[in-house]
């Protein structure tokens, strides 16, 4: 086909029929660009020409030898076996064999020297033997020597097939477009894009691989950061307008029923520092489940109100928003601070009323779910935005809330520890506070890992606990992120448990229920009218019922460890001993290893770190939730050096040409729109 472009479908390439097209699709390859960006998983090293004495059994070898016998053919087991013997420079000999490839007989001549590549099946201690070698002219040695790509395959597609398709394109110089100017590349020490593409597929050595990979990773991270910055409508002027003249929180501290932990005090001090500085606050508070993040948020909101600003607290679920509202309004009432809640359960009229009062500055603190960021919600004088359990929100949602104030201070709270390098990428230049201490008197949740053989014992234990007045959570297994299936499985589980526990009051809670229904069930559970609650992960975030002492998690191996830890945080909130029972019939080593971490540790940071090691960041954050892209090559956890470089580069480009209007940035803009166009709001374009 003539005129192949990057967006040309691969079905128009030579060698791609309907069947192969379908198989390529399976690998995520639809267009020529996809094919070019289908980078090798690893390489087969054919850089060294080996001596026969250095052959290693079962490994491939590239070697030069002179034929000292003509090729002979024998028939055995209905196969034609061709063989010959070669000698190398050192005088060592090796036996070469082929099966059924009779043409080899005419190809190789006794006395001639050839270059061979094949798999060593025996080494020289007995008699070196190499099977099914490729045969090359020694004159071509430069062309043949190098690293050969190994691609991830699917049944029906071979390495050779992909090699031919991709090298066909590259030989025709069909590669990616260069998006960086020569000066830019020089400054950031980047290889030219076509060099990188060619040499990531067909490098001569590992230095070339590194240069090429670095270039491609740089581009991926650069565009990602640029897109994020764009989504944030990033204001490089962070000079703030809010003034905090009074940072005395003693009045508030007097009404709460406990003393702050040292860690909470430390973080509050950091926040006060932010508030009184002339730079806008942009702070992430990380703290394990139960470390008391809400109180830190409450104090910050108190200070905002005291200094004449409104504050907003956004929570990921109605249940959690309600819970915050109940706890906080209780405190703030005593100080004559007006707290209101807005969620999707409000009627239109109720909402209108809240919005009216908000505009008139009759509400000081607004707590809510996504409803807070609806377009018609207007504040009078918003000064502080707090986002709880930030990992549940996308970047866009958070930004939208911030944009409701002039230059607002923001505080994001999370129980999910994020490595610093990643945090910078996701949130830009933000400061991180860590609450590394739990309030006193907390007992660790005793955790057990069991299989189905223990069902009876587990059930008896649950009955015993409930007979003593305690309450129990049963968490339903995740079913492949499919809500309908989840629903199915939670209802099935509910029926089973109701049968087994017919003497107890058993409730059910899942995401498909109406918010009002959910609240009713949660309230009944809080009031101990329900002994046992069968639930999906809607209870994962932040719910607090101190009389619940046992959590059973069905098919625990299907959850991420961070999620298990969050779930487990729902128990152990009172003075009674509490238990978490992880059910799993999965016998795989990795699954056992993961659940074992849960059994041994109650430290969310440690658990998260191990989980990252075992599963990688994509899984961990939930790509959909946090808007993390899947990169072709880049890894946010390990490519930190490049990340630092792209951070600088993005800043430079944006500070000079925020809207990407300059001619040298046109290709960058085009590629940015191609990769992230549907996610960008405004600036570019
Ligand atoms: P998380 O960090 O998981 O959001 P919460 O803010 O929900 O934790 O706090 C968990 C529980 O600990 C709440 O019931 C809260 O009232 C209580 N708490 C918070 N700080 C303290 C403290 N300094 N001393 C005792 N209890 C505290
Ligand atoms: Mg919380």
């Amino acid at each position: 086909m003539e005129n192949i472009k990057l967006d040309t479908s691969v079905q128009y390439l030579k060698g791609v029929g309907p069947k192969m097209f379908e198989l390529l699709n399976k690998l995520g390859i639809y267009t020529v660009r996809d094919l070019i960006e289908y980078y090798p998983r690893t390489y087969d090293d054919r850089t060294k020409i080996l001596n026969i004495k250095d052959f290693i059994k079962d490994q491939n070898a590239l070697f030069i030898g002179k034929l000292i016998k003509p090729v002979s053919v024998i028939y055995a087991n209905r196969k034609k076996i061709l063989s010959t013997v070669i000698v190398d420079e050192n005088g060592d000999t090796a036996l070469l064999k082929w099966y059924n490839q009779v043409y080899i007989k005419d190809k190789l001549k006794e006395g001639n020297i050839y270059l061979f590549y094949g798999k060593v099946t025996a080494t020289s201690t007995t008699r070196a033997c190499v099977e099914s070698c490729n045969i090359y002219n020694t004159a071509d040695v430069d062309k043949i020597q190098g690293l050969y790509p190994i691609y991830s395959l699917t049944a029906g597609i071979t390495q050779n097939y992909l090699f031919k398709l991709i090298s066909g394109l590259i030989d025709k110089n069909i590669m990616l477009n260069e998006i960086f100017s020569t000066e830019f590349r020089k400054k950031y020490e980047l290889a030219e894009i076509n060099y990188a593409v060619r040499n990531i597929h067909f490098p001569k050595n590992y230095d070339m691989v590194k240069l090429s990979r670095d270039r491609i990773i740089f581009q991926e991270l650069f565009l990602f950061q640029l897109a994020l910055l764009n989504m944030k409508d990033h204001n490089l002027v962070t000079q703030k307008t809010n003034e905090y003249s009074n940072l005395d929180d003693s009045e508030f501290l007097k009404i709460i029923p406990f003393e702050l932990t040292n860690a909470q005090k430390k973080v509050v001090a950091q926040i006060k520092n932010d508030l009184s500085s002339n730079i806008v606050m942009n702070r992430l508070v990380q703290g394990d489940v139960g470390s008391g993040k809400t109180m830190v948020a409450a104090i910050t909101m108190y200070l905002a109100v005291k200094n004449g600003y409104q504050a907003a607290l956004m929570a990921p679920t109605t249940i959690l928003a309600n819970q915050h509202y109940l706890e906080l309004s209780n405190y703030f009432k005593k100080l004559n601070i007006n707290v209101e809640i807005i969620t999707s359960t409000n009627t239109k009229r109720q909402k209108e009323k809240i919005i009216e009062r908000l505009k008139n500055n009759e509400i000081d603190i607004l707590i809510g779910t996504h409803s807070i960021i609806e377009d018609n919600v207007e504040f009078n004088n918003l000064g502080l935005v707090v986002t709880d359990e930030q990992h549940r929100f996308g970047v866009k949602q958070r930004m939208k809330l911030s944009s409701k104030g002039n230059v607002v201070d923001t505080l994001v709270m999370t129980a999910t520890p994020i490595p610093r390098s990643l945090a910078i990428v996701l949130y830009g230049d933000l400061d991180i506070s860590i609450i590394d201490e739990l309030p006193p008197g907390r007992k660790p949740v005793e955790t057990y890992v069991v299989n189905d053989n223990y069902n009876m014992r587990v059930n008896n234990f649950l009955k015993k606990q409930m007979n003593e007045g305690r309450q129990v959570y049963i968490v339903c297994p995740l079913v492949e992120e499919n809500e309908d299936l989840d629903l199915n499985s939670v209802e099935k589980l509910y029926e089973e448990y109701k049968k087994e526990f017919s003497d107890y009051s058993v409730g059910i809670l899942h995401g498909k229920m109406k918010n009002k229904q959910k609240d009713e069930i949660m309230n009944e559970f809080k009031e101990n009218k329900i002994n046992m609650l069968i639930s999906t992960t809607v209870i994962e975030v932040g719910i607090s019922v101190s009389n619940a002492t046992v959590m059973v998690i069905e098919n625990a191996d299907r959850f991420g460890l961070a999620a298990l830890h969050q779930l487990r945080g729902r128990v152990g909130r009172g003075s009674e001993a509490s238990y978490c029972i992880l059910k799993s019939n999965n016998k795989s080593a990795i699954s056992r290893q993961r659940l074992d971490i849960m059994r041994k540790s109650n430290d969310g940071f440690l658990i998260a770190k191990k989980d990252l090691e075992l599963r990688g960041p994509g899984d961990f954050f939930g790509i959909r939730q946090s808007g993390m892209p899947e990169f072709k090559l880049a890894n946010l956890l390990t490519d930190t050096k490049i990340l630092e470089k792209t951070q600088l580069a993005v800043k430079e480009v944006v500070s000079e040409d925020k809207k990407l209007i300059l001619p040298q940035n046109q290709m960058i803009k085009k590629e940015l729109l191609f990769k992230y166009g549907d996610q960008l709001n405004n600036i570019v374009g």
Side-chain angles (χ1 to χ4, degrees):
M1 178 183 167
E2 295 301 303
N3 201 5
I4 300 168
K5 295 207 186 86
L6 285 177
D7 59 2
T8 304
S9 168
V10 287
Q11 64 184 315
Y12 300 119
L13 296 180
K14 222 178 120 201
V16 184
K19 196 151 161 231
M20 291 319 277
F21 183 57
E22 228 170 80
L23 290 175
L24 286 167
N25 291 173
K26 259 196 187 169
L27 297 176
I29 300 170
Y30 298 87
T31 64
V32 165
R33 181 199 266 266
D34 295 334
L35 192 57
I36 290 169
E37 292 185 336
Y38 199 75
Y39 301 126
R41 176 166 63 79
T42 178
Y43 299 92
D44 184 17
D45 190 341
R46 301 184 204 171
T47 53
K48 286 191 203 74
I49 296 184
L50 291 184
N51 292 316
I52 291 172
K53 67 177 167 50
D54 297 326
F55 281 3
I56 300 171
K57 190 169 181 295
D58 293 331
Q59 288 193 5
N60 292 334
L62 184 69
F63 55 100
I64 291 178
K66 181 165 130 185
L67 239 70
I68 54 176
K69 269 173 70 176
V71 176
S72 64
V73 187
I74 58 164
Y75 296 84
N77 295 332
R78 299 160 146 233
K79 273 188 199 147
K80 295 179 187 123
I81 302 174
L82 297 94
S83 67
T84 184
V85 176
I86 55 136
V87 62
D88 72 5
E89 271 184 349
N90 300 325
D92 292 315
T93 58
L95 175 71
L96 308 188
K97 277 195 207 167
W98 292 264
Y99 300 95
N100 295 332
Q101 292 164 269
V102 274
Y103 62 90
I104 298 239
K105 192 169 164 47
D106 299 327
K107 195 162 171 176
L108 296 177
K109 298 259 168 342
E110 187 182 354
N112 282 2
I113 298 174
Y114 303 91
L115 176 66
F116 298 98
Y117 177 79
K119 185 169 175 184
V120 177
T121 53
T123 51
S124 53
T125 46
T126 49
R127 168 100 194 242
C129 180
V130 189
E131 293 187 9
S132 308
C133 292
N134 297 344
I135 302 156
Y136 308 102
N137 242 319
T138 46
D140 288 337
V141 64
D142 279 347
K143 225 171 74 191
I144 302 304
Q145 251 182 314
L147 295 169
Y148 284 67
I150 298 179
Y151 301 101
S152 300
L153 301 175
T154 184
I157 290 193
T158 63
Q159 294 294 349
N160 212 6
Y161 181 75
L162 280 178
F163 185 99
K164 277 191 181 147
L165 276 185
I166 295 171
S167 60
L169 293 170
I170 289 177
D171 285 347
K172 287 196 199 104
N173 269 318
I174 299 161
M175 290 189 251
L176 302 179
N177 299 316
E178 179 58 84
I179 66 168
F180 297 128
S181 69
T182 317
E183 292 94 276
F184 186 97
R185 290 203 312 270
K186 220 163 152 187
K187 178 156 187 191
Y188 294 100
E189 299 169 314
L190 302 173
E192 198 263 329
I193 191 67
N194 283 349
Y195 174 93
V197 168
R198 182 182 296 275
N199 291 299
I200 197 155
H201 286 290
F202 313 119
K204 283 278 159 207
N205 56 51
Y206 283 106
D207 286 343
M208 288 164 104
V209 174
K210 174 147 175 37
L211 264 177
S212 307
R213 276 184 66 90
D214 282 1
R215 158 63 207 245
I216 292 166
I217 291 170
F218 183 100
Q219 182 160 333
E220 285 188 334
L221 293 176
F222 176 88
L223 291 171
F224 173 57
Q225 283 188 282
L226 196 58
L228 271 181
L229 215 59
N230 210 301
M231 281 183 238
K232 287 173 183 176
D233 192 2
H234 195 79
N235 204 337
L236 288 172
V237 187
T238 47
Q239 212 68 7
K240 79 158 146 205
T241 47
N242 294 355
E243 271 185 40
Y244 280 77
S245 50
N246 187 340
L247 292 174
D248 180 8
D249 55 9
S250 55
E251 210 187 349
F252 184 81
L253 294 181
K254 256 184 260 161
I255 60 159
I256 57 171
F258 41 73
E259 196 185 340
L260 295 187
T261 62
N262 285 328
Q264 283 170 318
K265 284 181 189 162
K266 178 189 71 186
V267 174
V268 169
Q270 289 167 340
I271 289 171
K272 283 184 185 174
N273 228 336
D274 292 344
L275 295 178
S276 59
S277 87
N278 55 1
I279 305 287
V280 167
M281 174 166 78
N282 193 14
R283 186 170 288 279
L284 175 71
V285 177
Q286 296 185 355
D288 206 348
V289 191
S291 61
K293 295 184 289 292
T294 316
M295 207 34 72
V296 170
I299 293 168
T300 315
M301 293 194 287
Y302 169 76
L303 292 173
V305 173
K306 199 170 164 136
N307 285 275
Y309 304 106
Q310 289 174 302
L313 169 61
M314 185 161 74
T317 63
T318 313
I319 296 174
L320 190 57
N322 264 321
Q323 193 172 290
H324 281 326
Y325 174 72
L326 288 177
E327 187 184 348
L328 298 183
S329 59
N330 189 24
Y331 298 136
F332 285 123
K333 213 162 42 196
K334 297 177 183 155
L335 300 166
N336 279 327
I337 291 174
N338 292 325
V339 183
E340 193 48 80
I341 179 167
I342 187 165
T343 67
S344 53
T345 50
N346 292 122
T347 62
K348 202 165 162 242
R349 268 206 54 170
Q350 284 171 326
K351 270 190 191 167
E352 279 166 8
K353 227 169 152 192
I354 292 173
I355 291 167
E356 195 56 40
R357 287 172 54 218
L358 199 61
K359 268 196 256 178
N360 294 336
N361 213 4
E362 288 163 36
I363 294 171
D364 302 309
I365 295 174
L366 184 65
I367 294 174
T369 54
H370 297 77
S371 302
I372 288 190
I373 54 175
E374 278 168 20
D375 287 330
N376 55 354
V377 178
E378 273 176 55
F379 289 80
N380 180 291
N381 188 18
L382 181 65
L384 170 72
V385 165
V386 183
T387 318
D388 193 16
E389 304 296 351
Q390 123 340 285
H391 67 284
R392 285 291 183 122
F393 292 102
V395 177
K396 251 186 164 175
Q397 290 166 325
R398 267 183 287 126
M399 292 313 137
K400 194 156 176 205
L401 183 51
S402 302
S403 70
K404 289 189 178 288
N406 228 346
V407 186
V408 298
D409 292 304
T410 57
L411 197 61
V412 285
M413 305 193 293
T414 180
T416 310
I418 303 168
R420 167 128 203 120
S421 60
L422 243 188
I424 286 174
V425 175
L426 290 175
Y427 312 113
D429 280 328
L430 90 179
D431 299 298
I432 299 179
S433 294
I434 298 177
I435 309 183
D436 50 5
E437 180 187 3
L438 294 180
R442 291 274 168 79
K443 292 189 201 111
V445 180
E446 268 182 59
T447 302
Y448 301 91
V449 181
V450 302
N451 58 29
D452 275 351
N453 296 338
Y454 286 79
N455 277 351
M456 210 150 88
R457 279 172 69 180
V458 170
N459 288 346
N460 288 337
F461 176 70
L462 298 181
K463 284 172 190 167
K464 195 167 149 251
Q465 285 280 315
M466 290 191 286
N467 291 342
E468 286 170 14
R470 305 284 88 77
Q471 288 162 282
V472 173
Y473 292 107
I474 309 287
V475 180
C476 168
L478 277 181
V479 188
E480 308 252 316
E481 305 225 335
N482 182 326
E483 282 183 20
D484 288 328
L485 285 174
D486 268 342
L487 185 62
N488 207 331
S489 71
V490 71
E491 273 167 356
K492 213 174 111 214
L493 204 66
Y494 176 55
E495 294 306 323
E496 284 168 20
Y497 272 93
K498 253 199 332 205
K499 233 184 249 155
E500 173 70 33
F501 294 90
S502 51
D503 297 340
Y504 303 84
S505 151
V506 181
I508 177 170
L509 186 74
H510 57 76
K512 282 257 167 120
M513 288 161 70
K514 291 241 154 51
N515 279 327
K516 217 176 131 202
Q517 255 179 315
K518 276 194 247 175
D519 288 344
E520 274 166 20
I521 296 284
M522 262 333 279
N523 283 335
E524 282 178 39
F525 192 65
K526 272 190 183 160
E527 291 162 11
N528 202 358
K529 288 180 189 152
I530 292 174
N531 307 120
M532 174 184 268
L533 186 62
I534 318 290
S535 169
T536 58
T537 50
V538 290
I539 56 151
E540 174 186 329
V541 184
I543 288 168
S544 192
V545 177
S546 57
N547 189 47
T549 54
V550 190
M551 172 169 289
V552 177
I553 302 177
E554 301 276 344
N555 290 73
D557 50 282
R558 298 213 189 145
F559 294 86
L561 294 192
L564 286 177
H565 183 64
Q566 289 270 341
L567 283 165
R568 181 170 63 178
R570 301 308 111 223
V571 294
R573 311 206 129 226
S575 50
E576 305 290 334
S578 51
Y579 309 88
C580 177
I581 298 164
L582 303 173
K583 283 194 180 175
S584 165
N585 291 316
N586 190 330
K587 290 199 185 75
S588 80
I590 189 137
S591 147
R592 307 215 132 238
Q593 236 178 315
R594 293 177 64 242
L595 294 181
D596 224 42
I597 295 169
M598 291 302 297
R599 196 171 57 75
K600 288 188 187 141
S601 176
N602 262 288
D603 177 345
F605 278 47
L606 183 97
I607 289 169
K609 197 169 146 256
K610 299 256 176 185
D611 204 21
L612 276 173
E613 284 166 14
L614 289 170
R615 302 185 355 143
D619 273 357
F620 179 73
F621 290 103
I623 285 167
R624 272 197 334 198
Q625 277 171 8
S626 57
M628 299 262 286
E630 279 183 275
F631 298 114
K632 305 265 182 209
L633 288 180
N635 177 327
L636 288 170
L637 286 177
T638 53
D639 292 321
T640 45
K641 279 259 153 57
I642 301 180
L643 210 52
E644 280 164 22
K645 253 167 78 173
T646 53
Q647 178 88 354
L648 279 179
V650 164
K651 263 196 185 155
E652 188 189 285
V653 168
V654 170
S655 66
E656 195 182 80
D657 182 19
K658 185 171 163 186
K659 289 184 181 278
L660 304 180
I661 297 164
L662 295 177
Q664 68 266 34
N665 292 332
Q666 288 321 293
M667 289 304 286
I668 292 179
K669 180 168 163 180
K670 208 169 149 198
E671 190 73 5
L672 185 70
L673 287 170
F674 174 77
K675 292 254 178 200
Y676 296 102
D678 48 347
Q679 292 165 53
L680 299 178
N681 311 328
N682 38 29
I683 303 180
V684 174

